[in-house]
Amino acid sequence: MPCGLFFETYEKDEAIFQTTFLRVAMAAFAVLLLAFPFFSDWLSGLTNLYWLGIMTHICIFVLGAQGLNLLTGFTGQISLGHGAFMAVGAFTAGVLHMDLGWNFLLAILAGGLMAAALGMIFGVPSLRLRGLYLAIATLAAQIIIIWLLRGVFEAGAVEVSDATLFGFSFDTDQRKYYLCLFFAALGTLYLKNLMRTRTGRAFVAVRDRYLSAEVIGVNLFKYRILSFGISSFMVGLAGGLWAFTENAVTDEAFGVALSVKYLAYIIVGGLGQVTGAIFGVTFLELLHWLLEVPTDALSRIFPNIFEKLASLREIVFGLIVIVFLIFEPDGLSARWRTIRSYWKLWPFSY
């Protein structure tokens, strides 16, 4: 009966999937995600929600949340501007694809690079500012970028056609889901692998003891700017995917509320944990949409109080998040590790 995990080599200790059980579980989870479109209609019939669209949005937000998790969770730099960086990725990809005829893959990569460049520029104050002061500086970036986008693009909107790659068009909701799932998985694996490298350990050192890190030779400015760049690149990619899945980009979709929402994702899911972004996005998005089911049912019974019920849904959503943070401040990933550790040593856990 195993009483824990003991590795004999450094490579095994740093492996992404450390046990056979974990590898099998992740393979089963991947199969479930790939098969999801085939039973999403049945699920939609039960709940009156369009689950394929919800899961597509979850994949996009997971990619963006992993970017913010790198910056805030692993490097300790707070940002309230990631909604604007996502807008930069979306508008850049949309314009390059529609006006210049760029391939969609090159367009979203260019959108990510543009977001990364702006993120690094607005990340320069991170050398002198921390905490709430840095949050205010990034909030200013959010306001400035959205204001510029409204000035550059008439009506603050761009129409985008379906993505096409080597003659294959992502013109159905099912194909768009697989496209977003691929990028979400790629971003998650990239972040997991990055944190095993010298660069990832430097990010954590900057977060935990930045003075000690500087004493042992870690270049604080370099790694803080680099974390802003990688983080903004990932959320810029998410913006490009948003443009090609929604077939339209409007500045209203990328306001301050979205930046706050991204922070809520990683705080509820668990800061500094790769699984935290996945748990946080899934939990909050499912909670948001599942609260719509009783709201719609009550609005059909009491049609005159529909607006009040809609506000009540937002209130209940906020209260659930507050109660959750009180009882589980370390996030869902910490709860998941507790459950996993209990069953790993069962029946001799204590």
Side-chain angles (χ1 to χ4, degrees):
M1 178 65 68
C3 58
L5 294 176
F6 302 98
F7 301 105
E8 297 178 351
T9 62
Y10 183 75
E11 287 77 13
K12 289 183 179 179
D13 190 51
E14 287 294 314
I16 294 178
F17 305 114
Q18 295 180 332
T19 64
T20 303
F21 175 80
L22 184 58
R23 286 190 285 271
V24 172
M26 291 307 300
F29 182 61
V31 170
L32 178 65
L33 290 177
L34 292 173
F36 181 78
F38 298 102
F39 59 86
S40 63
D41 290 340
W42 170 77
L43 202 58
S44 298
L46 289 178
T47 59
N48 201 28
L49 294 174
Y50 188 51
W51 281 98
L52 193 57
I54 293 173
M55 286 298 294
T56 303
H57 285 176
I58 286 177
C59 292
I60 295 173
F61 288 134
V62 163
L63 178 60
Q66 293 291 21
L68 183 60
N69 199 19
L70 168 65
L71 180 69
T72 303
F74 289 104
T75 317
Q77 308 297 304
I78 193 169
S79 171
L80 285 173
H82 269 51
F85 299 143
M86 186 175 178
V88 170
F91 276 97
T92 304
V95 169
L96 292 177
H97 182 68
M98 297 301 295
D99 294 348
L100 302 181
W102 282 34
N103 177 283
F104 103 92
L105 190 58
L106 293 177
I108 63 171
L109 287 175
L113 290 174
M114 180 64 78
L118 286 176
M120 293 170 76
I121 292 172
F122 283 102
V124 170
S126 65
L127 186 63
R128 305 293 298 271
L129 302 176
R130 296 193 307 277
L132 291 176
Y133 299 99
L134 182 58
I136 295 300
T138 53
L139 180 61
Q142 164 81 39
I143 296 171
I144 292 171
I145 290 173
I146 295 299
W147 180 78
L148 288 175
L149 289 174
R150 285 176 182 166
V152 172
F153 299 100
E154 187 177 354
V158 172
E159 292 186 0
V160 183
S161 62
D162 291 322
T164 304
L165 185 64
F166 302 122
F168 183 84
S169 179
F170 295 90
D171 55 355
T172 66
D173 290 346
Q174 185 172 344
R175 292 177 179 179
K176 291 175 181 176
Y177 165 75
Y178 284 126
L179 177 66
C180 296
L181 178 63
F182 170 76
F183 276 95
L186 190 66
T188 301
L189 287 174
Y190 169 74
L191 181 60
K192 181 69 177 178
N193 194 54
L194 177 65
M195 300 318 299
R196 303 188 305 165
T197 64
R198 178 188 180 92
T199 302
R201 288 190 286 273
F203 287 151
V204 175
V206 171
R207 177 198 65 185
D208 292 344
R209 295 286 187 272
Y210 70 94
L211 288 178
S212 301
E214 190 173 22
V215 168
I216 63 175
V218 175
N219 188 326
L220 296 183
F221 182 72
K222 170 187 172 183
Y223 285 105
R224 282 174 175 167
I225 292 297
L226 184 61
S227 67
F228 262 99
I230 297 174
S231 174
S232 302
F233 177 77
M234 294 177 73
V235 82
L237 286 182
L241 289 175
W242 179 274
F244 285 103
T245 53
E246 297 298 313
N247 295 122
V249 184
T250 62
D251 61 85
E252 295 176 352
F254 306 102
V256 176
L258 180 61
S259 296
V260 176
K261 200 174 180 182
Y262 266 121
L263 271 180
Y265 287 149
I266 60 173
I267 291 173
V268 170
L271 286 169
Q273 297 293 328
V274 175
T275 54
I278 301 173
F279 284 133
V281 172
T282 305
F283 175 74
L284 290 182
E285 286 298 310
L286 291 183
L287 179 63
H288 173 80
W289 288 106
L290 289 176
L291 284 175
E292 190 171 299
V293 176
T295 304
D296 286 346
L298 289 173
S299 66
R300 284 193 289 272
I301 299 173
F302 308 104
N304 295 328
I305 58 172
F306 175 78
E307 293 184 357
K308 293 182 180 179
L309 287 175
S311 301
L312 183 63
R313 184 185 66 174
E314 301 300 329
I315 293 173
V316 172
F317 178 83
L319 286 176
I320 291 176
V321 172
I322 291 172
V323 170
F324 174 83
L325 290 176
I326 290 174
F327 290 99
E328 190 53 85
D330 292 332
L332 284 167
S333 60
R335 178 58 52 185
W336 169 248
R337 288 197 304 274
T338 302
I339 296 173
R340 199 174 62 177
S341 299
Y342 175 83
W343 287 105
K344 185 187 297 179
L345 302 179
W346 187 87
F348 300 108
S349 56
Y350 58 88

